[in-house]
Amino acid sequence: MDIIKRIFNYSKRHRGKALFAIFCLILNIGINLTTPRISKIIVDDVIKGGMRDLLLPLLLILFAAGLVKSIIIYLRGLYFEKFSQDTLYELRNDMYSHLQGLPYSYYDKNRVGELMSRMTGDLEGIRNFLAIGISTLLENGIYLIGTTATLLILNFKLGIATMAVTPFIAYLAYRFNKVVRPIFTDIREQHAVLNTAAQENITGVRVVKAFAREEYEIEKFERENYKNKQKNIVASRAWAKYFPLMDFLSSICLVVVIWYGGSLVARGQATVGDIVAFNAYLWMLIMPMRLLGWMINLTAQATTSGQRVFEVLDTGSSIKEKDNPYIPDQYRGEVVFSHVNFSYRKQAVLKDIDFVAPAGSTIAIMGETGSGKTSLINLIGRFYDTCSGQVMVDGINVRNWSLRDLRSQIGIIMQETFLFSDTIEGNIQFGNPDASKEEIIRAAQIADAHDFIMEMPQGYDTIIGERGMGLSGGQKQRIAIARAIVKNPKILIMDDCTSAVDMETEYEIQKALKTVMDNRTTFIIAHRVSSVKNADTILFLEEGRIVERGDHDSLMAQRGRYYEMVRQQYKDLDSPEFKGQVI
Amino acid sequence: MLRQRAIDDEKLEQPFNMDQFRRLLAYLKPYKKSVIITVLLMFIAAFAGLSGPKLLQVAIDDYMEAGHLVALAIIGILYLVLNLINLLCTRYRVYTMSLVGQKVLYKIRQDMFDHIQKLSFNYYDSRPAGKILVRIINDVNSLGDLLTNGIINVLTDVATLIFVVFFMFSLDVKLALIVMTTMPLMAIVVLGLKNVMRRRWQKVRVKSSSMNAYLHETLAGMKVTQAYTREPETGEIYQELSGEIRSTWLDAVKMNILMGPSIEIIAAIASFLVYFFGIDIVGDVGVLVAFGAYIWRFWQPLSNLANFYNSVLTAMASTERIFELLDTPADIFDHTDAKELPQIQGEVVFENLSFYYEPEKPVLKDINIRVAPGETIALVGPTGAGKSTIVNLISRFYEPVEGRILVDGHDINTVTMDSLRKQMGVMMQDSFIFSGTIMDNIRYGRLNATDEEVMEAARIVHADGFIREMEKGYYTEVNERGSRLSQGQRQLISFARTLLADPRILILDEATSSIDTKTEILVQKGLEQLLKGRTSFVIAHRLSTIRNASRIMVIDDGRIIESGSHDELLELKGAYYKLYRAQYQFLQAV
């Protein structure tokens, strides 16, 4: 109930529209409840009573009522829709801008599909409730009370008799809803399973074919496909069981009106007009009963949906700007880590990280998968917050910086390349909206991407799909590099960003990057010794700790882990031709 | 500035195509009897359902005031019986048709899935996985309602219209004719509104699909957006899209809302006519009441018919995509007289092999190789030189344009693909991991392998260690694409999978991706084990693999330009020497 209240609270600003719609709704019901009585007068007084001159005025009243009703129905529907769309529009935008403010840790935890379903399916659940649910609930509630009262006033005995069956209809509707809900959940789940089965088969087609497992895959899919069929059949069986029965019970109401009503007419305890009016009222009585289950369901759905939507909106961002954030006049690019500890999901990831990266220097970070390299560089742009210790950029703790200013000075090339469905030019320009065409081309040249881009049918205007469909891993990485270069940041961070390009290309890229690395502080995460050899400082991480530091020569002299790794990587080159030249 | 791109360019509607519709109906053929019975039953049900007002009329006019309680009881019972018939017919219909509909959907879906298993990589190369998936799942679903209810509903609705007219005329011909004058008006309004509605809702669908695409993409790329502080711009685009949804929605829903009032007005006119003229013409209360009821029963089937038309148009788009997929010919298939390939030793011969997609751009030119059983061939050369094409031809993932490939003397075109591929192991750059346990993933190599055999395979390729370190060991669930595993770990699992299959010929596209040194050592050791005693083709990047190969072939521009052992090729001081030298310099120079 709290959730429903909160949904209402959210729509407060558009309450005027809702109230107007409700006003129309009540008017509409009022007309509906009156017109059968006019029909009764026509039957009893005009036809049976012979007061013919009343006919035309009465018919005109009926016609006018119909006309007014039409307008009211239209306004009612329109304003409920406007009310719900306005509320939804705000809710949707609020959710989106809230999501934009949530930190990396949130996106680590929540899958995109899950967030999508909250922003589409759950919002739809709320929309249904606002646009249809409220009006149906009110309408049927009022009808139920209004019709019951009218029928009892019109003819008490007949009223009681007619209504005798209706609770059973309500019960059936309620039962149906209860029975069918788990079935629908079941169907949805099975549908997801089926979806996954097909998807894995398609994305894994190379493995399937390589192992000649087509038959096995067909059997696997057939099993899920069959289950999907069966579950759908179960649902329609429930439908077949309840709905025709409800129709049948409704028809009993009419039988009561005909037979019992008829006997009352015969005894003079009712008029034919009563019968006509009852006939007209019947649907207003039966409808609310039939819709009972549906309305319960709609409300329940809105509650669950609301819960999931508000869960997103209530997630506070752990990374907040100070009230008066630091906005510098000039950026230098110096980065200092001072006794930084960082834990993630209760696991210590970085321990006592302490180093100084002077402006313009190059820092290489090495270490095994999971040793904390990516976490370390993510602290610089304050994508996560430290647990203790300080990360300082240009001598100011990143917590005191304006986030936007801080990040505008950092260019990150991430390990996992993400490109948008846009032209190549648009993707590179994402790094700097003000970049000119020349700057974009220059950046692409540095990233060794210009040539392959020019080979594409539409060059820089080629649209690349979601996640850069149609490009090889190496090509995607090179576009991502160009995107970072065009930003022209003071601090450049490269997180293993040339893993998918071959050695020769990597060599080209690095040669070119050298020219742009001047006056920038550069962080390089890499596994190949060749990529890190020329760094001013190499930090060797192991289980979150810096275990070795220094430049290439001093680390080689230490004969520690770095030395071992270099030997391991270079042993292949240990051919008689070049012996002794290496290292 | 990030622009918004329409990702979904699938057509939402197609003009009605009789051939395809007929083809779709053909799926109903096995259930012809059920369908015909259902249609007949629905005629009966429609008649029974519509008899209510008529009976009410008889009751009011003939028996009520006369006090014929027996007659009233009979009418009541008759009405109940008719409704019981209605109930049974409807129940039968809902059940039968959903059964038929679901069976048809099942069949179409299975046909599609079976068919795509036959398609070669050419098909998969040319379109993203998502588009294929949408056809199998969503497009088939969208036919569901049409097949389950749509077709039967149309027939029922037509029957209802006919019966309504029939009952009206049976009540009073003159009055029926007067009322009929408003019916064309109703038909025009309903059909006209539906048409506008359809177009406007289509616009809503287009808008919301592009909003969802944008949403999906920006959520997936949120880290990038934040890193580049582009939140304000993306937020603005989203808000714009969101606003468009609101306005197109309101435009469309207005038409829906208009439907009720329009019918209300026409019904009011009709009622007015019924009472105004009816009193003079018939004067019986019951007839007037019954007419009033029938007027209301006229528009629902009309509206349904319009809906049906709309859903047929939508379904035609899906139908077209479904049949397009089913009609895609499998370009690589077993020849009719294909034999089983017997147990092989692993000799591979390429004879005058050429391959191209377009004749002007040859990919491979006149390749001749003979590889003895047990040899390891390293293929080196620049990206795009044709290395991958060579290895893909061996497993017949593609077919050569000219020349042939012999395995142990059998032309691979003359043997069944199943028997060929079962004796080959192919490992791609990106090791695909299925969702399931690690155990299941390795067992994919040989489905009847015992747990012990699986673990043994993992041990041999040095994958055992890290697997046992995971929380549930071999029974750890890994998700799709193996996102919980590092690249190197995925590779090790894929080694174990291949080892379990125990192929005679091994094809390996070595990943260029850098793996951390510890895993790299394991991968190399695993690889050594895997290569032992098998004929193998390796697209090699690791120098160790290249140097240990029995033969190195340098491919450039679709030709083998050098071939020989590491030492021989260095001696030659040709392309290989240059390549090697360059890599070496690169390691030195940077």
Side-chain angles (χ1 to χ4, degrees):
Chain A
M1 220 49 228
D2 285 348
I3 298 286
I4 298 289
K5 220 190 246 165
R6 229 179 128 181
I7 294 176
F8 280 136
N9 264 339
Y10 216 93
S11 52
K12 229 179 204 162
R13 286 194 30 216
H14 312 290
R15 209 164 33 184
K17 286 179 180 131
L19 287 178
F20 179 70
I22 290 172
F23 170 73
C24 290
L25 180 140
I26 293 171
L27 222 56
N28 177 11
I29 294 173
I31 294 173
N32 278 349
L33 286 175
T34 342
T35 41
R37 304 197 71 150
I38 297 176
S39 306
K40 174 183 146 71
I41 298 174
I42 292 177
V43 171
D44 286 346
D45 297 349
V46 178
I47 302 176
K48 301 285 170 191
M51 297 160 77
R52 289 295 290 269
D53 34 339
L54 270 179
L55 180 65
L56 195 61
L58 284 174
L59 283 182
L60 285 175
I61 291 173
L62 267 185
F63 185 70
L67 221 60
V68 172
K69 200 173 115 184
S70 303
I71 297 167
I72 288 171
I73 294 177
Y74 180 74
L75 289 176
R76 165 200 150 173
L78 186 65
Y79 274 84
F80 268 120
E81 283 292 340
K82 277 192 171 169
F83 162 69
S84 71
Q85 283 298 317
D86 284 351
T87 308
L88 213 67
Y89 173 74
E90 267 175 29
L91 196 55
R92 198 159 52 207
N93 293 347
D94 283 359
M95 270 181 96
Y96 190 78
S97 60
H98 189 80
L99 279 170
Q100 284 199 318
L102 291 178
Y104 277 22
S105 52
Y106 186 78
Y107 291 93
D108 297 338
K109 265 191 308 235
N110 294 282
R111 283 180 300 132
V112 175
E114 173 59 31
L115 295 177
M116 277 295 287
S117 89
R118 287 180 198 226
M119 287 208 63
T120 53
D122 288 325
L123 283 183
E124 175 65 17
I126 293 178
R127 189 200 70 79
N128 266 332
F129 178 71
L130 291 177
I132 310 167
I134 298 176
S135 78
T136 320
L137 268 172
L138 280 174
E139 185 179 17
N140 286 296
I142 299 173
Y143 265 137
L144 194 61
I145 298 166
T147 317
T148 309
T150 314
L151 288 185
L152 291 181
I153 293 167
L154 218 52
N155 192 307
F156 189 78
K157 276 188 190 167
L158 190 53
I160 296 279
T162 313
M163 282 182 279
V165 195
T166 52
F168 293 103
I169 301 176
Y171 175 73
L172 278 181
Y174 170 76
R175 279 287 309 165
F176 170 73
N177 193 53
K178 216 171 160 186
V179 168
V180 95
R181 219 192 300 176
I183 301 178
F184 280 144
T185 318
D186 228 27
I187 289 179
R188 259 203 308 280
E189 278 165 12
Q190 182 58 30
H191 202 248
V193 172
L194 190 69
N195 205 10
T196 316
Q199 192 191 342
E200 285 207 341
N201 175 269
I202 297 166
T203 43
V205 62
R206 281 164 201 279
V207 178
V208 173
K209 290 209 181 287
F211 286 94
R213 285 276 175 274
E214 288 93 339
E215 287 301 320
Y216 171 76
E217 290 289 317
I218 287 175
E219 270 167 39
K220 200 162 83 180
F221 184 78
E222 194 166 9
R223 267 200 303 277
E224 302 308 335
N225 194 8
Y226 181 79
K227 272 193 228 156
N228 183 55
K229 179 184 89 176
Q230 290 310 104
K231 286 183 177 168
N232 272 296
I233 290 173
V234 169
S236 58
R237 199 175 287 174
W239 207 94
K241 187 172 162 195
Y242 285 96
F243 269 82
L245 200 57
M246 279 191 252
D247 281 338
F248 182 68
L249 283 181
S250 310
S251 71
I252 290 179
C253 289
L254 187 68
V255 172
V256 169
V257 171
I258 290 177
W259 187 73
Y260 184 64
S263 71
L264 287 180
V265 171
R267 272 181 271 153
Q269 290 172 338
T271 63
V272 176
D274 286 339
I275 304 298
V276 173
F278 260 78
N279 179 42
Y281 282 123
L282 269 185
W283 263 110
M284 299 181 207
L285 194 64
I286 293 166
M287 252 350 245
M289 301 294 168
R290 290 180 58 126
L291 289 176
L292 183 74
W294 182 75
M295 286 185 292
I296 294 172
N297 196 8
L298 206 65
T299 317
Q301 239 169 39
T303 313
T304 346
S305 293
Q307 212 159 13
R308 285 159 52 86
V309 164
F310 291 127
E311 215 171 79
V312 172
L313 286 172
D314 291 345
T315 310
S317 177
S318 49
I319 293 178
K320 281 208 191 78
E321 266 183 14
K322 279 259 166 77
D323 288 335
N324 290 308
Y326 172 69
I327 301 169
D329 309 325
Q330 211 188 333
Y331 304 94
R332 285 181 292 126
E334 180 205 56
V335 178
V336 176
F337 275 60
S338 154
H339 303 287
V340 169
N341 286 292
F342 174 61
S343 303
Y344 193 57
R345 293 189 205 166
K346 288 178 191 150
Q347 270 196 315
V349 180
L350 293 175
K351 295 163 205 157
D352 198 30
I353 302 290
D354 200 72
F355 68 88
V356 177
S361 64
T362 300
I363 310 290
I365 304 166
M366 301 197 84
E368 280 171 20
T369 310
S371 58
K373 303 181 298 272
T374 302
S375 301
L376 190 153
I377 53 138
N378 275 333
L379 293 177
I380 303 171
R382 207 184 161 208
F383 295 110
Y384 300 89
D385 266 335
T386 58
C387 293
S388 66
Q390 295 188 13
V391 176
M392 285 176 289
V393 171
D394 289 356
I396 307 289
N397 190 332
V398 288
R399 287 179 191 245
N400 297 330
W401 273 77
S402 133
L403 271 182
R404 207 175 151 71
D405 279 85
L406 174 69
R407 291 177 184 171
S408 70
Q409 287 313 304
I410 301 174
I412 301 187
I413 309 161
M414 298 185 190
Q415 201 171 6
E416 203 176 308
T417 317
F418 185 92
L419 300 176
F420 292 95
S421 313
D422 197 346
T423 58
I424 292 180
E425 183 179 337
N427 263 293
I428 297 176
Q429 207 171 36
F430 193 81
N432 177 5
D434 305 322
S436 67
K437 181 93 187 185
E438 287 69 42
E439 287 171 304
I440 289 169
I441 291 175
R442 175 82 194 110
Q445 278 165 342
I446 292 172
D448 199 29
H450 180 72
D451 291 344
F452 83 78
I453 293 171
M454 290 315 285
E455 271 175 30
M456 303 206 137
Q458 278 141 327
Y460 281 86
D461 294 328
T462 310
I463 295 178
I464 45 184
E466 208 204 310
R467 294 208 164 238
M469 211 76 84
L471 296 180
S472 76
Q475 291 172 327
K476 282 191 267 184
Q477 283 186 338
R478 282 181 268 169
I479 291 178
I481 294 171
R483 175 170 69 190
I485 290 170
V486 90
K487 189 177 178 181
N488 196 19
K490 274 284 158 202
I491 301 170
L492 184 65
I493 298 172
M494 297 188 276
D495 186 357
D496 200 10
C497 65
T498 48
S499 59
V501 300
D502 54 50
M503 275 207 196
E504 294 80 20
T505 314
E506 187 181 7
Y507 174 59
E508 293 302 321
I509 295 173
Q510 291 200 347
K511 246 186 2 196
L513 273 178
K514 254 186 172 173
T515 60
V516 295
M517 270 154 65
D518 287 340
N519 345 310
R520 280 179 227 286
T521 315
T522 310
F523 288 84
I524 301 175
I525 294 180
H527 293 294
R528 289 180 196 152
V529 172
S530 54
S531 315
V532 304
K533 255 174 69 182
N534 292 345
D536 299 309
T537 309
I538 299 168
L539 304 175
F540 202 101
L541 290 190
E542 203 172 86
E543 286 173 13
R545 238 177 248 290
I546 299 176
V547 288
E548 283 176 27
R549 70 173 82 203
D551 62 7
H552 177 76
D553 294 333
S554 71
L555 287 181
M556 286 307 286
Q558 271 185 35
R559 307 231 150 200
R561 292 172 181 83
Y562 181 77
Y563 172 80
E564 271 309 309
M565 195 181 61
V566 173
R567 271 191 31 159
Q568 177 63 35
Q569 288 191 15
Y570 278 76
K571 78 165 192 242
D572 290 338
L573 274 180
D574 206 13
S575 96
E577 294 287 309
F578 305 110
K579 198 158 187 129
Q581 295 182 38
V582 183
I583 301 163
Chain B
M1 182 67 200
L2 179 68
R3 279 161 290 231
Q4 186 263 322
R5 297 278 169 196
I7 288 172
D8 191 0
D9 59 345
E10 303 267 32
K11 276 195 210 133
L12 293 171
E13 262 186 24
Q14 276 288 319
F16 188 74
N17 178 331
M18 196 58 209
D19 285 342
Q20 287 198 340
F21 191 66
R22 220 178 270 141
R23 197 167 157 196
L24 192 64
L25 284 185
Y27 272 97
L28 283 173
K29 231 180 205 160
Y31 313 104
K32 214 164 130 196
K33 224 169 99 188
S34 307
V35 173
I36 290 173
I37 292 175
T38 310
V39 170
L40 287 177
L41 286 180
M42 284 326 288
F43 269 72
I44 297 170
F47 185 83
L50 286 172
S51 59
K54 170 79 184 168
L55 288 176
L56 183 64
Q57 177 260 321
V58 175
I60 290 177
D61 290 344
D62 299 349
Y63 302 115
M64 261 186 203
E65 279 170 306
H68 274 294
L69 287 188
V70 182
L72 286 180
I74 291 171
I75 288 178
I77 289 165
L78 186 62
Y79 183 66
L80 271 188
V81 169
L82 283 171
N83 268 285
L84 200 63
I85 292 172
N86 189 350
L87 169 126
L88 293 174
C89 292
T90 312
R91 194 171 264 188
Y92 178 86
R93 164 253 165 105
V94 171
Y95 187 62
T96 311
M97 281 324 286
S98 79
L99 200 70
V100 170
Q102 287 299 327
K103 277 182 179 166
V104 169
L105 292 192
Y106 167 81
K107 177 87 169 62
I108 296 177
R109 192 169 272 145
Q110 199 63 44
D111 281 356
M112 291 173 84
F113 189 84
D114 292 0
H115 188 73
I116 62 164
Q117 301 307 309
K118 294 189 201 119
L119 299 178
S120 72
F121 286 176
N122 272 329
Y123 183 78
Y124 294 94
D125 290 345
S126 55
R127 66 211 78 210
K131 294 242 157 139
I132 307 174
L133 190 65
V134 163
R135 290 176 190 216
I136 297 178
I137 303 293
N138 305 34
D139 281 334
V140 175
N141 275 348
S142 69
L143 291 185
D145 201 48
L146 182 70
L147 290 172
T148 321
N149 296 310
I151 294 169
I152 298 292
N153 275 344
V154 170
L155 296 170
T156 323
D157 287 330
V158 171
T160 307
L161 283 181
I162 294 170
F163 286 137
V164 167
V165 174
F166 166 78
F167 275 117
M168 281 193 190
F169 275 93
S170 82
L171 281 169
D172 189 280
V173 177
K174 268 194 212 159
L175 201 52
L177 284 173
I178 291 170
V179 173
M180 277 298 132
T181 55
T182 62
M183 291 304 138
L185 190 63
M186 195 177 268
I188 291 169
V189 169
V190 171
L191 298 178
L193 271 180
K194 287 279 175 181
N195 201 13
V196 179
M197 236 172 359
R198 171 168 59 85
R199 265 180 274 132
R200 295 198 177 177
W201 281 116
Q202 198 184 338
K203 216 164 159 188
V204 173
R205 282 204 299 277
V206 171
K207 289 284 173 212
S208 71
S209 102
S210 59
M211 179 175 80
N212 286 345
Y214 187 76
L215 184 62
H216 186 272
E217 181 169 288
T218 49
L219 285 177
M222 187 61 84
K223 287 187 174 185
V224 177
T225 306
Q226 289 186 356
Y228 285 89
T229 56
R230 282 283 93 84
E231 297 99 319
E233 287 88 342
T234 38
E236 228 167 78
I237 294 175
Y238 183 78
Q239 220 169 73
E240 208 176 286
L241 290 170
S242 167
E244 275 176 19
I245 293 272
R246 177 174 62 172
S247 58
T248 48
W249 178 285
L250 283 175
D251 272 352
V253 85
K254 250 180 226 166
M255 292 296 114
N256 282 31
I257 301 169
L258 211 54
M259 185 65 92
S262 311
I263 286 159
E264 197 76 42
I265 290 175
I266 296 168
I269 295 172
S271 306
F272 181 88
L273 292 176
V274 166
Y275 278 102
F276 190 74
F277 293 107
I279 288 183
D280 292 330
I281 296 171
V282 282
D284 287 335
V285 179
V287 176
L288 302 182
V289 173
F291 257 100
Y294 284 125
I295 289 167
W296 275 106
R297 280 171 170 74
F298 198 81
W299 80 273
Q300 189 60 52
L302 259 183
S303 161
N304 288 348
L305 284 176
N307 275 344
F308 175 74
Y309 177 69
N310 294 346
S311 65
V312 164
L313 291 187
T314 319
M316 282 326 280
S318 294
T319 311
E320 190 183 87
R321 288 196 289 267
I322 287 171
F323 288 136
E324 191 206 70
L325 186 146
L326 284 175
D327 291 342
T328 310
D331 50 354
I332 297 178
F333 45 85
D334 286 340
H335 291 279
T336 40
D337 52 352
K339 299 182 300 278
E340 289 275 308
L341 180 67
Q343 180 71 40
I344 54 167
Q345 294 300 310
E347 184 207 49
V348 179
V349 176
F350 286 51
E351 267 182 22
N352 312 322
L353 206 67
S354 291
F355 183 83
Y356 51 79
Y357 295 102
E358 299 153 55
E360 318 82 70
K361 286 190 195 162
V363 182
L364 292 178
K365 284 172 262 184
D366 201 25
I367 303 278
N368 282 289
I369 316 175
R370 193 191 158 274
V371 180
E375 260 194 297
T376 300
I377 306 294
L379 301 169
V380 295
T383 317
K387 294 170 298 193
S388 298
T389 313
I390 292 185
V391 295
N392 277 328
L393 288 172
I394 304 174
S395 335
R396 233 183 128 203
F397 290 138
Y398 301 93
E399 280 188 335
V401 180
E402 278 163 41
R404 53 183 197 154
I405 298 171
L406 304 169
V407 170
D408 275 21
H410 302 273
D411 182 343
I412 60 168
N413 265 329
T414 65
V415 298
T416 61
M417 281 189 286
D418 221 50
S419 63
L420 173 73
R421 289 180 186 164
K422 278 199 168 135
Q423 301 192 54
M424 320 199 100
V426 184
M427 274 176 293
M428 308 288 172
Q429 273 186 25
D430 189 7
S431 316
F432 189 83
I433 300 290
F434 294 93
S435 55
T437 61
I438 292 181
M439 184 70 90
D440 292 339
N441 263 292
I442 299 177
R443 190 176 280 134
Y444 201 81
R446 180 151 53 89
L447 298 175
N448 58 6
T450 63
D451 284 8
E452 284 68 36
E453 287 172 312
V454 168
M455 289 187 226
E456 179 60 23
R459 233 187 325 271
I460 294 174
V461 297
H462 299 273
D464 190 64
F466 89 84
I467 296 174
R468 285 193 189 278
E469 269 173 32
M470 302 190 77
E471 77 239 60
K472 285 187 191 139
Y474 282 89
Y475 298 97
T476 309
E477 293 274 339
V478 284
N479 40 13
E480 212 194 309
R481 290 251 140 200
S483 56
R484 297 186 52 186
L485 303 166
S486 78
Q487 176 102 20
Q489 292 171 333
R490 293 210 292 260
Q491 225 159 36
L492 287 176
I493 288 179
S494 133
F495 284 172
R497 180 154 70 194
T498 307
L499 185 76
L500 201 61
D502 193 23
R504 297 316 310 150
I505 300 173
L506 201 62
I507 289 163
L508 213 100
D509 201 342
E510 250 189 27
T512 39
S513 207
S514 47
I515 300 168
D516 63 70
T517 318
K518 196 169 129 195
T519 320
E520 171 81 27
I521 295 169
L522 289 180
V523 169
Q524 284 191 21
K525 282 188 185 161
L527 190 59
E528 268 168 41
Q529 292 302 321
L530 199 58
L531 294 176
K532 233 180 235 170
R534 298 173 214 280
T535 311
S536 33
F537 293 83
V538 186
I539 296 179
H541 300 284
R542 287 187 190 87
L543 288 167
S544 60
T545 322
I546 299 175
R547 281 184 33 201
N548 296 336
S550 10
R551 244 192 301 167
I552 299 163
M553 294 184 184
V554 184
I555 318 281
D556 197 8
D557 203 18
R559 288 179 198 281
I560 300 174
I561 53 171
E562 279 173 29
S563 166
S565 73
H566 175 75
D567 292 337
E568 284 164 17
L569 290 185
L570 281 187
E571 200 84 7
L572 211 63
K573 298 230 188 258
Y576 182 73
Y577 178 83
K578 262 191 226 149
L579 216 68
Y580 191 72
R581 180 90 203 163
Q583 279 211 354
Y584 165 77
Q585 273 174 340
F586 158 57
L587 289 176
Q588 280 287 299
V590 177

